[in-house]
Amino acid sequence: ARLCGTGTALSVCNGTLALHLAMLGLDVRPGDEVLVPSLTYVATANAGRYVGAEPVFVDVDPTTWCIDPKLLEASITRRTKGIIAVHLYGHPADMDTINHIAAVHGLWVVEDAAEAHMARYKGRIVGSLAKIATFSFYGNKIITCGEGGAITVDDPQLAIRLKALRGQGMDPQRRYYFPITGYN
């Protein structure tokens, strides 16, 4: 959290689960649409599918290989809830433009920074450039421990929700009380 400049960082078992928890934390539901780049690992698209949403593939910029912000607006429908911007191969997506488009349309943005630990976008380290950021520590990543992942978030209420979802749904104020279905 300190490294990325956010209030909270949560450890999780892998980067795919980090993306799944992001979808749950943002209350993505069946029938919702999530914009994802057409060039990414399948986990990015699967994260929305895990909660019943439809991934909508948006082509990538041929220079950066990240989601092309110029093509986002044409993909937005009334069912679109958010955008997952993947910082592919360590190269950050155009977060200023993506965040602006999202704000205009009332959408959230998640950074998939699985391959971009310590990458900088306009002087800022990725991980605090969107509502939620996710990381992977799988063996082929920049920082690895064989498995593992992380979520960074600056919104205290969202952090509480993500912690509960990660911790089997246990209420943080009432030990061994599980008001929501969570994950391990």
Side-chain angles (χ1 to χ4, degrees), residues 20-119:
H20 183 194
L21 283 177
M23 298 299 98
L24 291 165
L26 294 167
D27 202 28
V28 179
R29 297 173 182 246
D32 291 346
E33 293 177 346
V34 177
L35 305 184
V36 299
S38 60
L39 179 60
T40 184
Y41 187 66
V42 70
T44 309
N46 281 347
R49 300 287 262 158
Y50 293 151
V51 295
E54 288 296 319
V56 174
F57 295 96
V58 178
D59 206 355
V60 297
D61 179 299
T63 304
T64 66
W65 294 3
C66 295
I67 198 165
D68 190 335
K70 295 184 294 277
L71 303 177
L72 283 173
E73 292 203 78
S75 300
I76 295 170
T77 72
R78 61 177 182 75
R79 293 176 41 210
T80 306
K81 299 300 177 202
I83 303 164
I84 301 178
V86 178
H87 304 311
L88 195 64
Y89 301 127
H91 190 287
D94 181 354
M95 294 305 294
D96 287 347
T97 306
I98 293 166
N99 282 324
H100 173 74
I101 292 167
V104 166
H105 293 278
L107 308 175
W108 47 256
V109 178
V110 169
E111 292 177 80
D112 179 341
E115 299 180 351
H117 311 101
M118 306 296 290

Side-chain angles (χ1 to χ4, degrees), residues 85-154:
V86 178
H87 304 311
L88 195 64
Y89 301 127
H91 190 287
D94 181 354
M95 294 305 294
D96 287 347
T97 306
I98 293 166
N99 282 324
H100 173 74
I101 292 167
V104 166
H105 293 278
L107 308 175
W108 47 256
V109 178
V110 169
E111 292 177 80
D112 179 341
E115 299 180 351
H117 311 101
M118 306 296 290
R120 291 184 180 271
Y121 174 78
K122 296 184 177 180
R124 294 177 57 202
I125 293 176
V126 299
S128 66
L129 306 174
K131 189 151 187 88
I132 296 176
T134 63
F135 294 88
S136 172
F137 304 124
Y138 188 67
N140 65 345
K141 301 302 187 272
I142 296 167
I143 298 174
T144 182
C145 56
E147 264 295 355
I151 300 171
T152 54
V153 60
D154 212 29

